[in-house]
Amino acid sequence: MDTPPAYQKCINPKCSATFGCEEVLFQCPTCGDLLDICYDWNTVALPKTLADFAGRWAKRNERLDFSGVWRFRELLDFCPDRCKVSIGEGQTLLQQNGALAAELGMNPDGLFLQYEGMNPSGSFKDNGMTAAFSHARMVGATASACASTGNTSASMALYAHSGGLKATVFIGQGKIAFGKLSQAMDYGAQTIQIEGDFDDCMRQVQDVCRQLKIYLVNSLNPFRLEGQKTIMYRIIEQLGWEAPDWIIVPGGNLGNSSAFGKAFMELQTLGLIDRVPRLAVINAVGANTLTELYHDKKLRWNNGHTDNDAIKAYYDGLDAAGFRPHTVASAIEISRPVNLKKCLRALEVCNGVVLAVTDEEILDAKAQIGKTGLGCEPASAATIAGLKHLLAEGTIGKDQRVACVLTGHPLKDPNATVDYHSQMQRPFSNPPMHAANDLDKIIALIK
Ligand code: F0G
């Protein structure tokens, strides 16, 4: 189809301005709020059931059917097929992890880990980047940029050079894990380390993109979030098109949680699912804006009438205190999440909960995920750390079905892993042993 039935719409109900998809905006030009991609579903040729999407597995030699994002293209129909960029993203798996479930005292059939580390750049970002770069191609963009704690930059750099665009990444000085930094450099992006943190970079990149007319691929970009919806489609596909009881996701800039809420909102509107899962968004204690606003300030979506003054007062307070977020989970070391409002909407759609976990809890959970499963980077382990709290307080029942999104590959941040195992005396530390170059002494060490 050459004119897709999609448009951009401001999420602020007092504004609700709409714009065509050929416009490059990233925030509402009328009121400055976030934009959504909306569809005129009556004109989309949707399959009758979600199971029809699975038929595309049989046509994996076709570029768009092979993509774990574009396989679901009718549910994100904002650009013509000829513009769709793909490098094989979304070949992920939902691992049922009985061993970890047992360690957590859950029903062994009930715990699933959605391993997004299998994406081309090793994180969930590729789901969004394939969508953003498809839009970039549609509008003829030649240069891209992002602020990043690392994974967005790695993913952007990969998609940019695959599509022949220039790429500039802004990262906070010393705020990025080495695996991710190495990717941005290796994939040929111009890497600018700003003396500041992610939030500073996020502010700067918006002005840079505005002034130089560069295409911004941060999750402010509503097209990116359309791609990230497919993580949820793949989870329910693996569960026989049934929603689990819970989805658990780490919260940083809050793009993923926002996209997940939108995915379920739309599937429900379309009558393609009977039941929406509950959503748990997990912050790190040192970067817990969402948790504080949600619990202490009782901030809610409120049909789009979110209390902007409360948000502003909170941020003013952070500035006055000279607050800087800090967590070992550098991917989510963010104190001004740009998708805050959309995340609040997702929490409402999915009857969600929010909590924050400590760095120690994150690192312990990460070691348990590595010991029983495919491993992940620290931010991803916030999911299992959060799950432990939710089980302990009875919010999640031990016999419920829970899917945790492991957002990034374990090799993204090898320093965190090696430090935990070799330097810290933690419950799951597995330090390397030292042996003389002597067979008997080596054998004596084998447990
Ligand atoms: N997990 C990982 C591994 C991430 O890289 C990020 C975000 C998140 C979770 C949080 O997701 O922002 O959608 O709430 N990383 C961004 C980046 C900020 O720049 O790579 P979110």
Side-chain angles (χ1 to χ4, degrees), residues 122-125 146-154 180 198 218-219 224-225 228 249-258 281 330-332 334 339 377-380 405-409 412:
S123 86
F124 75 92
K125 302 286 179 183
C146 70
S148 184
T149 56
N151 281 322
T152 301
S153 56
K180 306 172 190 183
F198 174 83
N218 279 104
S219 51
R224 218 191 88 183
L225 297 190
Q228 288 171 218
V249 64
N253 223 7
L254 303 178
N256 243 355
S257 44
S258 299
V281 183
S330 55
I332 53 173
I334 294 171
N339 289 295
E377 66 165 281
S380 316
V405 184
L406 298 188
T407 45
H409 197 284
K412 290 281 189 174

Side-chain angles (χ1 to χ4, degrees), residues 84-398:
K84 288 180 181 129
V85 173
S86 175
I87 51 174
E89 57 287 324
Q91 308 301 316
T92 57
L93 57 85
L94 184 68
Q95 188 199 31
Q96 190 170 33
N97 192 322
L100 186 52
E103 277 191 23
L104 302 181
M106 293 174 70
N107 176 345
D109 300 334
L111 180 61
F112 300 85
L113 305 181
Q114 172 65 13
Y115 186 60
E116 288 291 321
M118 287 171 80
N119 274 294
S121 79
S123 86
F124 75 92
K125 302 286 179 183
D126 297 347
N127 294 282
M129 226 43 90
T130 187
F133 275 89
S134 298
H135 181 249
R137 178 180 282 180
M138 181 171 131
V139 299
T142 56
S144 57
C146 70
S148 184
T149 56
N151 281 322
T152 301
S153 56
S155 182
M156 182 190 84
L158 187 55
Y159 277 83
H161 87 60
S162 309
L165 280 81
K166 288 201 284 185
T168 305
V169 310
F170 295 90
I171 54 184
Q173 185 93 40
K175 299 283 185 184
I176 181 171
F178 259 36
K180 306 172 190 183
L181 179 60
S182 66
Q183 284 180 290
M185 297 190 298
D186 209 33
Y187 298 148
Q190 178 186 17
T191 304
I192 301 180
Q193 307 208 42
I194 291 181
E195 291 168 16
D197 60 15
F198 174 83
D199 299 305
D200 298 314
C201 293
M202 193 66 236
R203 261 192 299 257
Q204 298 289 0
V205 75
Q206 291 183 62
D207 288 340
V208 169
C209 286
R210 254 189 294 270
Q211 278 199 29
L212 302 182
K213 304 250 179 296
I214 295 176
Y215 189 87
L216 177 71
V217 301
N218 279 104
S219 51
L220 266 182
N221 179 332
F223 296 96
R224 218 191 88 183
L225 297 190
E226 291 306 287
Q228 288 171 218
K229 294 189 304 192
T230 64
I231 301 170
M232 294 300 102
Y233 306 154
R234 296 197 300 272
I235 288 183
I236 60 174
E237 179 179 53
Q238 286 296 300
L239 297 176
W241 302 108
E242 240 182 62
D245 296 301
W246 285 88
I247 300 285
I248 309 187
V249 64
N253 223 7
L254 303 178
N256 243 355
S257 44
S258 299
F260 298 173
K262 186 168 188 282
F264 288 116
M265 199 164 73
E266 291 171 349
L267 290 180
Q268 202 172 37
T269 305
L270 293 169
L272 289 170
I273 47 167
D274 306 329
R275 197 171 63 96
V276 164
R278 295 191 69 188
L279 178 69
V281 183
I282 316 295
N283 278 156
V285 162
N288 63 351
T289 294
L290 175 69
T291 309
E292 291 203 331
L293 284 172
Y294 195 80
H295 290 295
D296 303 348
K297 309 288 177 215
K298 306 279 178 251
L299 192 73
R300 294 292 182 275
W301 167 243
N302 193 23
N303 286 322
H305 302 284
T306 310
D307 186 348
N308 288 330
D309 293 340
I311 301 172
K312 184 174 180 312
Y314 181 83
Y315 289 154
D316 287 347
L318 294 186
D319 283 342
F323 177 81
R324 292 280 168 185
H326 187 72
T327 166
V328 69
S330 55
I332 53 173
E333 194 178 66
I334 294 171
S335 64
R336 290 162 189 267
V338 297
N339 289 295
L340 176 65
K341 288 189 191 174
K342 285 185 179 176
C343 174
L344 292 171
R345 178 175 67 182
L347 289 165
E348 188 169 294
V349 169
C350 299
N351 186 17
V353 299
V354 177
L355 71 136
V357 292
T358 66
D359 281 2
E360 288 73 23
E361 290 171 328
I362 288 173
L363 290 173
D364 287 343
K366 182 176 122 47
Q368 287 178 284
I369 294 165
K371 191 163 65 84
T372 59
L374 299 163
C376 62
E377 66 165 281
S380 316
T383 53
I384 292 295
L387 173 58
K388 289 183 192 174
H389 280 275
L390 294 165
L391 286 166
E393 69 191 36
T395 306
I396 296 185
K398 293 190 184 316

